Amino acid sequence: EAIVTSEELGQDLEHVEVLQKKFEEFQTDLAAHEERVNEVNQFAGKLIQEQHPEEELIKSKQDEVNASWQRLKGLALQRQGKLFGAAEVQRFNRDVDETISWIKEKGQLMASDDFGRDLASVQALLRKHEGLERDLAALEDKVKALCAEADRLQQCHPINASQIQVKREELIANWEQIRTLAAERHARLNDSYRLQRFLADFRDLTSWVTEMKALINADELANDVAGAEALLDRHQEHKGEIDAHEDSFKSADESGQALLAAGHYASDEVKEKLTVLSDERTALLELWELRRQQYEQCMDLQLFYRDTEQVDNWMSKQEAFLLNEDLGDSLDSVEALLKKHEDFEKSLSAQEEKIT
Protein backbone atom coordinates (compact mmCIF):
# COMPACT_ATOMS: atom_id res chain seq x y z
CA GLU A 1 0.00 0.00 0.00
CA ALA A 2 2.94 2.33 0.64
CA ILE A 3 3.87 1.93 -3.02
CA VAL A 4 0.44 2.80 -4.41
CA THR A 5 -0.09 5.74 -2.04
CA SER A 6 3.30 7.30 -2.82
CA GLU A 7 3.10 10.88 -4.07
CA GLU A 8 6.50 10.70 -5.74
CA LEU A 9 5.97 11.38 -9.46
CA GLY A 10 9.53 12.09 -10.61
CA GLN A 11 11.53 15.22 -11.34
CA ASP A 12 12.05 14.48 -15.02
CA LEU A 13 11.12 11.94 -17.68
CA GLU A 14 13.94 9.55 -16.80
CA HIS A 15 12.90 9.58 -13.15
CA VAL A 16 9.25 8.94 -14.06
CA GLU A 17 10.27 6.03 -16.27
CA VAL A 18 12.21 4.53 -13.36
CA LEU A 19 9.12 4.86 -11.14
CA GLN A 20 6.95 3.32 -13.85
CA LYS A 21 9.31 0.38 -14.11
CA LYS A 22 9.16 -0.15 -10.35
CA PHE A 23 5.38 0.11 -10.47
CA GLU A 24 5.22 -2.46 -13.27
CA GLU A 25 7.18 -4.82 -11.00
CA PHE A 26 4.68 -4.08 -8.25
CA GLN A 27 1.76 -4.84 -10.60
CA THR A 28 3.36 -8.16 -11.50
CA ASP A 29 3.66 -8.96 -7.81
CA LEU A 30 0.06 -7.78 -7.28
CA ALA A 31 -1.24 -10.05 -10.03
CA ALA A 32 0.67 -12.96 -8.48
CA HIS A 33 -1.08 -12.35 -5.12
CA GLU A 34 -4.57 -12.28 -6.65
CA GLU A 35 -4.58 -16.06 -6.75
CA ARG A 36 -3.75 -16.07 -3.06
CA VAL A 37 -6.75 -13.84 -2.37
CA ASN A 38 -8.97 -16.17 -4.39
CA GLU A 39 -7.74 -19.11 -2.38
CA VAL A 40 -8.58 -17.29 0.85
CA ASN A 41 -12.12 -16.64 -0.42
CA GLN A 42 -12.56 -20.26 -1.48
CA PHE A 43 -11.34 -21.53 1.89
CA ALA A 44 -13.60 -19.09 3.72
CA GLY A 45 -16.57 -20.20 1.62
CA LYS A 46 -15.84 -23.81 2.39
CA LEU A 47 -15.67 -23.15 6.13
CA ILE A 48 -18.91 -21.21 6.03
CA GLN A 49 -20.58 -23.95 4.01
CA GLU A 50 -19.49 -26.47 6.63
CA GLN A 51 -21.10 -24.21 9.26
CA HIS A 52 -17.88 -23.59 11.14
CA PRO A 53 -18.55 -22.35 14.68
CA GLU A 54 -16.51 -19.18 13.93
CA GLU A 55 -18.57 -18.44 10.84
CA GLU A 56 -19.20 -14.80 11.73
CA LEU A 57 -15.51 -14.14 12.39
CA ILE A 58 -14.60 -15.90 9.14
CA LYS A 59 -17.09 -13.74 7.19
CA SER A 60 -15.74 -10.62 8.87
CA LYS A 61 -12.15 -11.48 8.03
CA GLN A 62 -13.11 -12.42 4.47
CA ASP A 63 -14.87 -9.09 3.96
CA GLU A 64 -11.87 -7.28 5.45
CA VAL A 65 -9.44 -9.05 3.11
CA ASN A 66 -11.62 -8.39 0.05
CA ALA A 67 -12.12 -4.74 0.97
CA SER A 68 -8.38 -4.27 1.45
CA TRP A 69 -7.72 -6.06 -1.82
CA GLN A 70 -10.17 -3.94 -3.79
CA ARG A 71 -8.84 -0.79 -2.13
CA LEU A 72 -5.30 -1.80 -3.04
CA LYS A 73 -6.30 -2.46 -6.65
CA GLY A 74 -8.10 0.88 -6.82
CA LEU A 75 -5.10 2.71 -5.40
CA ALA A 76 -2.87 0.87 -7.89
CA LEU A 77 -5.08 2.01 -10.75
CA GLN A 78 -4.90 5.60 -9.48
CA ARG A 79 -1.14 5.36 -9.09
CA GLN A 80 -0.85 4.02 -12.63
CA GLY A 81 -2.90 6.96 -13.94
CA LYS A 82 -0.81 9.49 -12.02
CA LEU A 83 2.43 8.02 -13.31
CA PHE A 84 1.05 8.00 -16.87
CA GLY A 85 0.03 11.64 -16.51
CA ALA A 86 3.40 12.54 -15.00
CA ALA A 87 5.12 10.83 -17.92
CA GLU A 88 3.02 12.83 -20.38
CA VAL A 89 3.88 16.10 -18.66
CA GLN A 90 7.58 15.27 -18.33
CA ARG A 91 7.73 14.11 -21.93
CA PHE A 92 6.21 17.46 -22.91
CA ASN A 93 8.79 19.25 -20.73
CA ARG A 94 11.61 17.28 -22.35
CA ASP A 95 10.37 17.99 -25.89
CA VAL A 96 10.03 21.70 -25.07
CA ASP A 97 13.51 21.81 -23.50
CA GLU A 98 15.05 20.04 -26.51
CA THR A 99 13.26 22.41 -28.90
CA ILE A 100 14.39 25.47 -26.94
CA SER A 101 17.96 24.10 -26.84
CA TRP A 102 17.90 23.69 -30.64
CA ILE A 103 16.47 27.19 -31.04
CA LYS A 104 19.20 28.69 -28.85
CA GLU A 105 21.89 26.79 -30.76
CA LYS A 106 20.62 28.19 -34.06
CA GLY A 107 20.16 31.57 -32.41
CA GLN A 108 23.90 31.76 -31.76
CA LEU A 109 24.52 31.26 -35.47
CA MET A 110 22.02 33.97 -36.35
CA ALA A 111 23.55 36.37 -33.84
CA SER A 112 26.85 36.27 -35.76
CA ASP A 113 28.20 39.63 -36.89
CA ASP A 114 29.83 38.06 -39.95
CA PHE A 115 28.01 39.40 -42.99
CA GLY A 116 30.72 38.59 -45.54
CA ARG A 117 33.84 40.36 -46.77
CA ASP A 118 33.25 39.95 -50.49
CA LEU A 119 30.58 38.78 -52.91
CA ALA A 120 31.49 35.08 -52.70
CA SER A 121 31.48 34.96 -48.90
CA VAL A 122 28.16 36.86 -48.70
CA GLN A 123 26.57 34.44 -51.16
CA ALA A 124 27.85 31.50 -49.10
CA LEU A 125 26.41 33.04 -45.91
CA LEU A 126 23.07 33.67 -47.65
CA ARG A 127 22.88 30.03 -48.75
CA LYS A 128 23.68 28.91 -45.21
CA HIS A 129 21.06 31.24 -43.76
CA GLU A 130 18.43 30.06 -46.22
CA GLY A 131 19.18 26.52 -45.01
CA LEU A 132 18.58 27.66 -41.41
CA GLU A 133 15.32 29.30 -42.47
CA ARG A 134 14.19 26.02 -44.03
CA ASP A 135 14.98 24.30 -40.73
CA LEU A 136 12.92 26.95 -38.93
CA ALA A 137 10.01 26.41 -41.30
CA ALA A 138 10.11 22.70 -40.49
CA LEU A 139 10.38 23.46 -36.77
CA GLU A 140 7.29 25.68 -36.86
CA ASP A 141 5.05 22.62 -37.19
CA LYS A 142 6.69 21.11 -34.10
CA VAL A 143 6.19 24.33 -32.12
CA LYS A 144 2.52 24.40 -33.09
CA ALA A 145 2.15 20.74 -32.13
CA LEU A 146 3.77 21.37 -28.73
CA CYS A 147 1.45 24.32 -28.08
CA ALA A 148 -1.55 22.13 -28.93
CA GLU A 149 -0.17 19.43 -26.62
CA ALA A 150 0.19 22.03 -23.87
CA ASP A 151 -3.49 22.95 -24.22
CA ARG A 152 -4.51 19.27 -24.01
CA LEU A 153 -2.29 18.56 -20.99
CA GLN A 154 -3.61 21.60 -19.14
CA GLN A 155 -7.13 20.22 -19.50
CA CYS A 156 -6.14 16.64 -18.64
CA HIS A 157 -3.86 17.57 -15.74
CA PRO A 158 -5.16 20.80 -14.21
CA ILE A 159 -2.87 20.35 -11.21
CA ASN A 160 0.10 20.89 -13.58
CA ALA A 161 -1.60 23.58 -15.68
CA SER A 162 0.44 26.52 -14.39
CA GLN A 163 3.78 24.74 -14.87
CA ILE A 164 2.72 23.62 -18.37
CA GLN A 165 1.72 27.20 -19.22
CA VAL A 166 5.12 28.50 -18.08
CA LYS A 167 6.82 26.00 -20.41
CA ARG A 168 4.48 26.94 -23.24
CA GLU A 169 5.23 30.64 -22.84
CA GLU A 170 8.97 29.96 -22.63
CA LEU A 171 8.78 28.02 -25.91
CA ILE A 172 6.79 30.75 -27.66
CA ALA A 173 9.16 33.48 -26.41
CA ASN A 174 12.21 31.63 -27.76
CA TRP A 175 10.40 30.88 -31.02
CA GLU A 176 9.43 34.51 -31.58
CA GLN A 177 12.95 35.63 -30.72
CA ILE A 178 14.64 33.36 -33.26
CA ARG A 179 12.14 34.34 -35.95
CA THR A 180 13.00 37.98 -35.30
CA LEU A 181 16.73 37.17 -35.36
CA ALA A 182 16.31 35.27 -38.64
CA ALA A 183 14.44 38.13 -40.29
CA GLU A 184 16.98 40.71 -39.09
CA ARG A 185 19.96 38.62 -40.22
CA HIS A 186 18.40 37.97 -43.61
CA ALA A 187 17.87 41.71 -44.05
CA ARG A 188 21.48 42.45 -43.03
CA LEU A 189 22.81 39.78 -45.38
CA ASN A 190 20.74 41.21 -48.22
CA ASP A 191 22.17 44.67 -47.44
CA SER A 192 25.67 43.19 -47.46
CA TYR A 193 24.98 41.34 -50.73
CA ARG A 194 23.75 44.52 -52.43
CA LEU A 195 26.85 46.38 -51.23
CA GLN A 196 29.28 43.64 -52.31
CA ARG A 197 27.49 43.30 -55.67
CA PHE A 198 27.95 47.05 -56.19
CA LEU A 199 31.60 46.93 -55.09
CA ALA A 200 32.29 43.98 -57.39
CA ASP A 201 30.76 45.87 -60.32
CA PHE A 202 32.79 48.93 -59.31
CA ARG A 203 36.04 46.94 -59.30
CA ASP A 204 35.22 45.29 -62.64
CA LEU A 205 34.41 48.61 -64.30
CA THR A 206 37.40 50.54 -62.94
CA SER A 207 39.69 47.66 -63.90
CA TRP A 208 38.19 47.66 -67.41
CA VAL A 209 38.64 51.45 -67.66
CA THR A 210 42.33 51.08 -66.72
CA GLU A 211 42.81 48.41 -69.38
CA MET A 212 40.95 50.44 -71.97
CA LYS A 213 43.03 53.55 -71.25
CA ALA A 214 46.20 51.52 -71.71
CA LEU A 215 44.84 50.10 -74.96
CA ILE A 216 43.89 53.52 -76.32
CA ASN A 217 47.30 54.94 -75.42
CA ALA A 218 49.22 51.95 -76.76
CA ASP A 219 49.16 52.80 -80.49
CA GLU A 220 51.89 54.99 -81.96
CA LEU A 221 50.98 57.56 -84.62
CA ALA A 222 51.09 56.19 -88.16
CA ASN A 223 53.74 56.99 -90.82
CA ASP A 224 51.50 56.55 -93.85
CA VAL A 225 47.90 56.90 -94.95
CA ALA A 226 47.10 53.19 -94.66
CA GLY A 227 48.44 53.10 -91.12
CA ALA A 228 46.47 56.24 -90.20
CA GLU A 229 43.29 54.69 -91.60
CA ALA A 230 43.91 51.49 -89.58
CA LEU A 231 44.41 53.56 -86.42
CA LEU A 232 41.12 55.39 -86.93
CA ASP A 233 39.27 52.13 -87.58
CA ARG A 234 40.76 50.51 -84.47
CA HIS A 235 40.00 53.62 -82.43
CA GLN A 236 36.38 53.49 -83.55
CA GLU A 237 36.23 49.86 -82.42
CA HIS A 238 37.36 51.02 -78.97
CA LYS A 239 34.46 53.48 -78.98
CA GLY A 240 32.09 50.64 -79.77
CA GLU A 241 33.37 48.72 -76.75
CA ILE A 242 33.03 51.83 -74.57
CA ASP A 243 29.45 52.29 -75.76
CA ALA A 244 28.74 48.62 -75.03
CA HIS A 245 29.70 49.23 -71.38
CA GLU A 246 27.29 52.13 -70.98
CA ASP A 247 24.57 49.85 -69.60
CA SER A 248 27.03 48.48 -67.03
CA PHE A 249 27.92 52.00 -65.88
CA LYS A 250 24.24 52.90 -65.72
CA SER A 251 23.37 49.75 -63.76
CA ALA A 252 26.20 50.32 -61.27
CA ASP A 253 25.12 53.93 -60.78
CA GLU A 254 21.49 52.89 -60.22
CA SER A 255 22.58 50.24 -57.70
CA GLY A 256 24.68 52.78 -55.81
CA GLN A 257 21.91 55.38 -55.83
CA ALA A 258 19.45 52.77 -54.51
CA LEU A 259 21.83 52.00 -51.63
CA LEU A 260 22.07 55.70 -50.80
CA ALA A 261 18.29 56.14 -51.00
CA ALA A 262 17.83 53.22 -48.58
CA GLY A 263 20.22 54.80 -46.08
CA HIS A 264 22.66 51.89 -46.34
CA TYR A 265 25.20 51.62 -43.51
CA ALA A 266 28.04 51.98 -46.06
CA SER A 267 26.56 55.08 -47.75
CA ASP A 268 29.77 57.11 -47.39
CA GLU A 269 31.81 54.44 -49.15
CA VAL A 270 29.15 54.02 -51.84
CA LYS A 271 29.05 57.77 -52.47
CA GLU A 272 32.84 57.85 -52.83
CA LYS A 273 32.82 54.90 -55.28
CA LEU A 274 30.08 56.51 -57.38
CA THR A 275 32.18 59.67 -57.71
CA VAL A 276 35.27 57.66 -58.68
CA LEU A 277 33.28 55.66 -61.22
CA SER A 278 31.82 58.79 -62.81
CA ASP A 279 35.25 60.46 -62.94
CA GLU A 280 36.84 57.36 -64.48
CA ARG A 281 34.16 57.14 -67.16
CA THR A 282 34.50 60.85 -67.98
CA ALA A 283 38.31 60.58 -68.12
CA LEU A 284 38.04 57.58 -70.48
CA LEU A 285 35.71 59.43 -72.85
CA GLU A 286 37.95 62.50 -72.79
CA LEU A 287 41.01 60.36 -73.54
CA TRP A 288 39.19 58.67 -76.41
CA GLU A 289 38.21 62.07 -77.85
CA LEU A 290 41.75 63.40 -77.48
CA ARG A 291 43.22 60.40 -79.27
CA ARG A 292 40.54 60.68 -81.98
CA GLN A 293 41.64 64.23 -82.67
CA GLN A 294 45.28 63.17 -82.72
CA TYR A 295 44.55 60.29 -85.13
CA GLU A 296 42.53 62.56 -87.43
CA GLN A 297 45.35 65.13 -87.41
CA CYS A 298 47.75 62.30 -88.17
CA MET A 299 45.51 61.23 -91.03
CA ASP A 300 45.39 64.77 -92.41
CA LEU A 301 49.17 65.02 -92.17
CA GLN A 302 49.73 61.69 -93.94
CA LEU A 303 47.31 62.69 -96.67
CA PHE A 304 49.23 65.96 -97.07
CA TYR A 305 52.53 64.09 -97.26
CA ARG A 306 51.11 61.70 -99.85
CA ASP A 307 49.68 64.50 -102.01
CA THR A 308 52.90 66.53 -101.73
CA GLU A 309 54.95 63.54 -102.81
CA GLN A 310 52.64 62.91 -105.73
CA VAL A 311 52.89 66.56 -106.85
CA ASP A 312 56.70 66.53 -106.46
CA ASN A 313 56.92 63.39 -108.55
CA TRP A 314 54.69 64.91 -111.22
CA MET A 315 56.68 68.16 -111.32
CA SER A 316 59.95 66.26 -111.62
CA LYS A 317 58.61 64.39 -114.62
CA GLN A 318 57.19 67.55 -116.24
CA GLU A 319 60.41 69.48 -115.69
CA ALA A 320 62.24 67.00 -117.91
CA PHE A 321 59.56 67.54 -120.55
CA LEU A 322 60.02 71.34 -120.42
CA LEU A 323 63.80 71.16 -120.65
CA ASN A 324 63.57 69.19 -123.87
CA GLU A 325 65.39 71.18 -126.66
CA ASP A 326 63.47 69.44 -129.45
CA LEU A 327 61.42 72.11 -131.30
CA GLY A 328 60.49 69.92 -134.25
CA ASP A 329 62.08 69.69 -137.73
CA SER A 330 58.89 69.61 -139.74
CA LEU A 331 55.37 70.91 -139.60
CA ASP A 332 54.00 67.59 -138.42
CA SER A 333 56.56 67.26 -135.64
CA VAL A 334 55.99 70.86 -134.51
CA GLU A 335 52.23 70.30 -134.42
CA ALA A 336 52.80 67.12 -132.41
CA LEU A 337 54.97 69.05 -129.95
CA LEU A 338 52.32 71.79 -129.67
CA LYS A 339 49.70 69.13 -128.89
CA LYS A 340 51.87 67.71 -126.13
CA HIS A 341 52.44 71.19 -124.74
CA GLU A 342 48.69 71.86 -124.67
CA ASP A 343 48.18 68.59 -122.79
CA PHE A 344 50.89 69.67 -120.35
CA GLU A 345 49.16 73.02 -119.74
CA LYS A 346 45.87 71.26 -119.01
CA SER A 347 47.62 68.90 -116.61
CA LEU A 348 49.32 71.88 -114.97
CA SER A 349 45.95 73.57 -114.41
CA ALA A 350 44.63 70.38 -112.77
CA GLN A 351 47.68 70.13 -110.50
CA GLU A 352 47.37 73.81 -109.59
CA GLU A 353 43.84 73.19 -108.26
CA LYS A 354 45.14 70.31 -106.17
CA ILE A 355 48.03 72.37 -104.76
CA THR A 356 45.93 75.43 -103.95
Side-chain angles (χ1 to χ4, degrees):
E1 190 169 318
I3 295 175
V4 294
T5 57
S6 172
E7 294 298 324
E8 185 179 16
L9 296 175
Q11 302 300 315
D12 53 38
L13 183 60
E14 289 73 14
H15 191 188
V16 175
E17 288 174 345
V18 169
L19 293 176
Q20 283 182 317
K21 184 171 180 58
K22 287 182 178 179
F23 186 74
E24 287 171 2
E25 293 172 355
F26 163 77
Q27 285 181 309
T28 302
D29 189 48
L30 189 67
H33 279 77
E34 188 166 14
E35 183 62 29
R36 179 62 177 157
V37 172
N38 291 335
E39 289 176 357
V40 168
N41 279 316
Q42 288 175 3
F43 189 57
K46 180 182 179 184
L47 290 175
I48 292 170
Q49 188 177 6
E50 293 174 352
Q51 297 181 346
H52 194 281
E54 299 292 336
E55 182 178 342
E56 292 301 322
L57 179 61
I58 291 170
K59 283 183 178 180
S60 175
K61 287 292 184 181
Q62 183 184 18
D63 290 342
E64 183 181 335
V65 168
N66 284 331
S68 295
W69 178 250
Q70 292 303 320
R71 180 173 179 274
L72 185 61
K73 287 176 70 176
L75 289 172
L77 195 60
Q78 291 178 18
R79 176 66 176 168
Q80 185 180 30
K82 287 180 180 179
L83 285 173
F84 178 78
E88 280 193 318
V89 172
Q90 293 299 343
R91 189 172 293 108
F92 167 77
N93 289 340
R94 183 199 61 185
D95 290 347
V96 169
D97 288 340
E98 287 179 351
T99 302
I100 290 175
S101 177
W102 185 92
I103 287 174
K104 288 182 176 178
E105 179 186 337
K106 301 304 179 184
Q108 290 178 351
L109 296 175
M110 293 188 184
S112 170
D113 59 357
D114 180 11
F115 299 105
R117 299 168 304 281
D118 51 38
L119 188 59
S121 61
V122 173
Q123 289 173 324
L125 287 172
L126 268 172
R127 286 193 296 271
K128 184 177 180 181
H129 186 74
E130 287 166 358
L132 289 174
E133 288 182 322
R134 286 192 293 272
D135 291 342
L136 285 183
L139 184 67
E140 185 173 9
D141 292 338
K142 184 174 183 180
V143 172
K144 289 179 178 178
L146 285 171
C147 287
E149 178 69 359
D151 294 338
R152 185 188 73 81
L153 290 174
Q154 283 177 297
Q155 291 180 354
C156 296
H157 309 290
I159 193 171
N160 300 113
S162 60
Q163 180 266 324
I164 293 170
Q165 183 61 21
V166 168
K167 276 292 182 185
R168 186 178 188 276
E169 290 174 356
E170 183 183 0
L171 173 64
I172 292 174
N174 278 274
W175 173 245
E176 294 298 334
Q177 181 182 21
I178 198 169
R179 287 181 64 187
T180 301
L181 278 174
E184 289 175 351
R185 180 160 178 79
H186 203 154
R188 288 294 301 274
L189 284 171
N190 278 335
D191 285 345
S192 181
Y193 173 79
R194 290 165 61 205
L195 173 64
Q196 295 301 334
R197 176 76 271 173
F198 168 75
L199 293 177
D201 291 342
F202 168 81
R203 287 190 293 270
D204 288 346
L205 285 171
T206 51
S207 176
W208 173 82
V209 167
T210 300
E211 293 175 1
M212 186 55 63
K213 284 180 178 179
L215 199 59
I216 290 174
N217 279 320
D219 289 324
E220 298 289 340
L221 295 179
N223 294 318
D224 53 42
V225 173
E229 288 177 344
L231 279 178
L232 281 170
D233 289 342
R234 190 154 56 248
H235 195 60
Q236 196 57 44
E237 290 175 2
H238 295 333
K239 186 59 166 63
E241 188 173 352
I242 292 172
D243 291 343
H245 277 74
E246 278 301 301
D247 287 344
S248 298
F249 278 101
K250 183 180 179 181
S251 176
D253 183 72
E254 289 175 350
S255 297
Q257 295 298 339
L259 291 173
L260 295 179
H264 196 278
Y265 62 86
S267 290
D268 290 343
E269 182 181 5
V270 172
K271 191 178 298 183
E272 176 192 346
K273 301 298 186 188
L274 284 174
T275 301
V276 171
L277 199 59
S278 177
D279 291 345
E280 285 290 308
R281 175 180 172 277
T282 300
L284 177 62
L285 291 173
E286 289 176 348
L287 174 62
W288 184 88
E289 179 60 24
L290 175 64
R291 293 296 280 178
R292 184 193 65 79
Q293 293 174 7
Q294 291 175 344
Y295 291 153
E296 287 189 350
Q297 290 172 355
C298 177
M299 182 66 172
D300 291 341
L301 181 62
Q302 294 305 323
L303 286 172
F304 171 74
Y305 285 157
R306 184 193 65 182
D307 292 345
T308 302
E309 185 177 356
Q310 289 175 349
V311 170
D312 283 343
N313 290 336
W314 180 83
M315 287 192 295
S316 295
K317 291 179 181 177
Q318 299 308 317
E319 187 175 349
F321 170 74
L322 292 173
L323 293 175
N324 190 347
E325 296 291 336
D326 184 11
L327 298 176
D329 53 7
S330 65
L331 180 61
D332 290 338
S333 62
V334 171
E335 288 178 347
L337 289 172
L338 282 171
K339 180 69 174 65
K340 286 183 179 180
H341 194 75
E342 288 173 359
D343 293 339
F344 162 74
E345 287 180 335
K346 290 178 182 178
S347 177
L348 181 62
S349 295
Q351 291 297 332
E352 186 174 6
E353 291 178 5
K354 182 182 293 187
I355 293 171
T356 55

